[in-house]
Amino acid sequence: MGCVHGKCCCRYPRSSDGDNREDLGRYAQVQTHILAGRSVESAQVPSHNFRLEYSVLTQRGFYPESPEKENQDSYCIRTQLQGNPNVHFFGVFDGHGQFGTECSVFVRDRLVEILSNDSTLLDDPVKAYNSAFSITNEELHDSDIDDSMSGTTAITALLVGDMLYVANVGDSRAVMAVKEGNRVVAKDLSSDQTPFRKDECERVKSCGARVLSVDQVEGLKDPDIQSWGDEETEGGDPPRLWVQNGMYPGTAFTRSVGDSTAESIGVVAVPEVTTVHLTAHHPFFVVASDGVFEFLSSQTVVDMVNRSADPRDASSAIAGESYKLWLDHENRTDDITIIIVHIKALSNVVVPQPKEMEEEQRTQRKKHRRYISLHLLRKVIGQ
């Protein structure tokens, strides 16, 4: 969900079945064209002797009232951060507002660069994440991009050896697949930062935000009723953030990068970071924009990935189903971006790296010399 002036606030009437079929047919043709040029990439993690296999799909939404509107999602996949073969980064950035594309591209480029140049990254990834988001947010404010009513959410995953650090700002999502017996269950690695969350709602209120749905702001519903159910049942008219005496900014999220106007009422770029120790029970994880999860549950997405050996097929199926569900409910769709990362051959056996092996050899040589010295000393004393 975006801001009231962005892609996610327009409430179009539901399409007729005929319109849906026409749009889905056109979408199927586009998807076939996109899939032809995509590939599955891989990255090794030599410290723990496993590899990642990943694929990404990004699809512009269908906007009948804005046919020239561009895809405001962007993504970043950067392997071997700091030249380290065991450190890899995946991120999805969902822009919103008039300059949402510029914001998402700016954050996509700068966040990973700042992380790459942080000397504390490997020692304290959480601290590095917090610093990188803060610096990126300030740099966006100071840039030539007008982020007063525009910005981006960010969902990112940083892999360091067999540890995964997921940092979330906004309402996109990361999901881990977990093997439990004969089942593969979905575990959310992020929590959508929206006013539906009581803690986030109270936090922004304490910063001066009014939290109301569009119907409440327009006088169609009682503004004193501060209960909106949950996202699944009330997603069509969600609670939004407004300044005290104005009809703006109308953000449906409580955290983002940019959005300098909304920052004055509590919208912050501070990430929530989740840490996971990867094991053989973690076959894959998904990083995706909220265009995927608007009508699909995390478990449904995991089930669809689990049914496909090829992540390209899975991402295509998920995008297609998301698109169909959007058109079942509205006369448009959101932009959709999804990264699927398979974890292959992880056994949690630490493999010594060249430097570690060299250090171990030096240690063993020192022990051997001490043993020889003590042995000679005992012989001398014995004589």
Side-chain angles (χ1 to χ4, degrees):
M1 296 177 187
C3 68
V4 73
H5 301 289
K7 65 186 180 184
C8 295
C9 179
C10 303
R11 286 182 281 173
Y12 299 115
R14 179 173 172 170
S15 303
S16 68
D17 290 341
D19 289 340
N20 276 350
R21 284 195 295 270
E22 180 183 347
D23 295 332
L24 284 169
R26 181 162 59 248
Y27 177 70
Q29 294 174 358
V30 172
Q31 280 298 95
T32 301
H33 174 71
I34 290 174
L35 284 172
R38 295 191 303 126
S39 61
V40 177
E41 305 291 338
S42 65
Q44 300 293 324
V45 186
S47 64
H48 291 76
N49 198 30
F50 71 96
R51 71 184 187 279
L52 307 176
E53 291 183 358
Y54 54 87
S55 181
V56 60
L57 179 150
T58 186
Q59 171 64 47
R60 174 189 176 274
F62 170 61
Y63 303 103
E65 293 191 358
S66 304
E68 302 303 316
K69 191 177 188 325
E70 58 188 332
N71 186 351
Q72 293 186 306
D73 284 0
S74 63
Y75 66 89
C76 175
I77 297 174
R78 182 79 64 87
T79 58
Q80 300 191 20
L81 261 65
Q82 299 185 347
N84 190 319
N86 305 302
V87 183
H88 309 296
F89 177 88
F90 305 87
V92 171
F93 308 89
D94 183 355
H96 51 262
Q98 183 178 356
F99 304 105
T101 302
E102 292 87 343
C103 290
S104 71
V105 170
F106 183 94
V107 175
R108 174 198 71 188
D109 295 341
R110 287 300 298 143
L111 184 69
V112 70
E113 285 301 320
I114 293 168
L115 281 172
S116 296
N117 294 321
D118 191 329
S119 60
T120 70
L121 177 64
L122 301 184
D123 294 328
D124 194 343
V126 176
K127 178 183 177 182
Y129 251 142
N130 277 278
S131 176
F133 271 95
S134 177
I135 293 170
T136 301
N137 191 49
E138 290 304 316
E139 287 187 358
L140 179 55
H141 290 340
D142 295 337
S143 72
D144 294 332
I145 301 170
D146 180 0
D147 73 343
S148 58
M149 298 286 285
S150 299
T152 185
T153 63
I155 181 71
T156 66
L158 174 71
L159 184 134
V160 182
D162 63 349
M163 298 298 296
L164 188 68
Y165 302 87
V166 173
N168 180 46
V169 169
D171 56 0
S172 292
R173 193 178 301 176
V175 182
M176 176 66 73
V178 182
K179 291 180 181 177
E180 292 186 359
N182 295 324
R183 301 172 60 233
V184 177
V185 300
K187 177 183 177 183
D188 286 339
L189 300 180
S190 60
S191 176
D192 299 353
Q193 294 152 351
T194 74
F196 281 112
R197 272 178 53 178
K198 185 176 180 180
D199 58 338
E200 286 292 284
C201 185
E202 292 304 317
R203 183 181 63 77
V204 295
K205 282 183 179 179
S206 70
C207 295
R210 290 188 301 153
V211 180
L212 302 166
S213 68
V214 172
D215 281 349
Q216 287 176 311
V217 167
E218 293 178 346
L220 301 176
K221 290 184 178 179
D222 186 352
D224 293 328
I225 298 177
Q226 293 285 285
S227 177
W228 301 276
D230 56 50
E231 250 176 298
E232 289 189 8
T233 58
E234 299 296 330
D237 186 23
R240 296 175 180 272
L241 278 58
W242 315 87
V243 297
Q244 286 297 322
N245 299 305
M247 296 280 286
Y248 64 91
T251 62
F253 45 78
T254 55
R255 303 194 191 201
S256 72
V257 185
D259 293 292
S260 57
T261 298
E263 203 169 80
S264 66
I265 53 172
V267 175
V268 296
V270 179
E272 292 180 314
V273 183
T274 301
T275 303
V276 179
H277 180 204
L278 297 178
T279 71
H281 296 291
H282 298 127
F284 59 85
F285 62 89
V286 177
V287 180
S289 61
D290 72 324
V292 170
F293 296 105
E294 187 72 18
F295 300 108
L296 290 178
S297 69
S298 298
Q299 186 61 56
T300 298
V301 169
V302 164
D303 290 342
M304 294 177 78
V305 176
N306 194 46
R307 285 196 293 266
S308 300
D310 191 324
R312 293 172 297 183
D313 294 338
S315 58
S316 178
I318 291 166
E321 183 65 15
S322 298
Y323 197 97
K324 177 182 179 299
L325 291 172
W326 270 97
L327 291 177
D328 283 346
H329 291 83
E330 301 188 29
N331 193 35
R332 62 153 192 131
T333 76
D334 198 358
D335 302 327
I336 290 171
T337 301
I338 179 169
I339 301 173
I340 298 173
V341 183
H342 283 277
I343 302 164
K344 299 287 188 177
L346 175 59
S347 63
N348 293 106
V349 176
V350 178
V351 180
Q353 298 302 286
K355 288 185 178 179
E356 295 171 347
M357 292 175 66
E358 188 176 322
E359 182 63 32
E360 177 65 21
Q361 289 171 354
R362 281 198 295 266
T363 301
Q364 292 299 326
R365 285 196 295 269
K366 288 179 181 178
K367 288 181 179 179
H368 183 66
R369 285 196 295 269
R370 282 198 298 270
Y371 171 79
I372 295 296
S373 298
L374 287 171
H375 180 69
L376 291 174
L377 180 61
R378 290 193 187 101
K379 287 184 68 176
V380 170
I381 292 173
Q383 290 174 348

